[in-house]
Amino acid sequence: GAGVSQTPSNKVTEKGKYVELRCDPISGHTALYWYRQSLGQGPEFLIYFQGTGAADDSGLPNDRFFAVRPEGSVSTLKIQRTERGDSAVYLCASSWGLAGTDTQYFGPGTRLTVL
Amino acid sequence: GNSVTQMEGPVTLSEEAFLTINCTYTATGYPSLFWYVQYPGEGLQLLLKATKADDKGSNKGFEATYRKETTSFHLEKGSVQVSDSAVYFCATQTQGGSEKLVFGKGTKLTVNP
């Protein structure tokens, strides 16, 4: 079946602009995660959804970052007033949402470049 | 919170050499442990996992054993191939709540023919 998909694959924007990044999880997965991977680093957690609600947003760096998942499937990560330091690969992952040994499946990522 | 310390790279080996990539973790409780791999131009893929102490995860000739006494989860392969060239990430999973993954910085492996 289809895996996690993310669009766009690449996004170039100018400092101060607003961007939206989209994630389509695996069908039926109730848990959805956003991570950010900077060059030469491992992914860092941003936010976790269980269904429609953001159950853990402790990784969002500041209030310029926001994410939604209105129908419990597709999620959008929104970044306002982008800064050069926001440049990174943004990864989405989904899972069945089972506690304990749940495996997260990752999408290919969106590479965001802020000029 | 949880943290992962992973062997710094890059690592360069010849084909058929033995591979070890060290990983140690700090965590409360008994987290699940993972190795993810990122092949050039591709997304993160789960390589193997272990969910409790002394468990051994294995896949594609790679193995890692969950060692609670040394808080380690070292990745090994007896004979690497050129196709194993990739970046390898060790990760722990927090228990309860979000079950988010905490990753190491990654180790880039290059295998030469």
Side-chain angles (χ1 to χ4, degrees), chain A residues 33 35 37 40-45 48 55-56 58-59 91 98-109, chain B residues 32 34 36 38 42-46 49 51 87 89 93-106:
Chain A
Y33 300 79
Y35 294 84
Q37 186 175 16
Q41 303 294 315
E44 293 181 319
F45 169 78
Y48 156 67
D56 182 354
S58 62
L91 298 170
L98 304 173
T101 65
D102 212 13
T103 296
Q104 294 179 29
Y105 297 89
F106 283 79
Chain B
S32 295
F34 302 80
Y36 277 84
Q38 194 168 37
E42 298 186 18
L44 272 174
Q45 301 175 25
L46 177 66
K49 70 178 186 182
T51 58
V87 182
F89 293 92
Q93 186 172 41
T94 59
Q95 292 189 304
S98 68
E99 313 250 332
K100 64 192 177 192
L101 293 169
V102 176
F103 288 87
K105 291 186 176 182

Side-chain angles (χ1 to χ4, degrees), chain B residues 75-96:
Chain B
L75 182 68
E76 296 183 336
K77 186 174 186 181
S79 177
V80 294
Q81 306 300 311
V82 172
S83 57
D84 294 327
S85 297
V87 182
Y88 293 82
F89 293 92
C90 184
T92 73
Q93 186 172 41
T94 59
Q95 292 189 304

Side-chain angles (χ1 to χ4, degrees), chain B residues 6-28:
Chain B
Q6 189 175 337
M7 183 171 118
E8 297 273 336
V11 174
T12 302
L13 296 173
S14 298
E15 208 164 22
E16 299 183 4
F18 183 85
L19 169 71
T20 300
I21 301 178
N22 290 339
C23 171
T24 57
Y25 68 91
T26 59
T28 53

Side-chain angles (χ1 to χ4, degrees), chain A residues 3 14 24 46 52 64 69 72 79 97-98 102-103 107:
Chain A
E14 294 179 342
D24 272 276
L46 295 176
T52 60
R64 295 187 296 106
R69 195 186 185 199
I79 310 174
L98 304 173
D102 212 13
T103 296

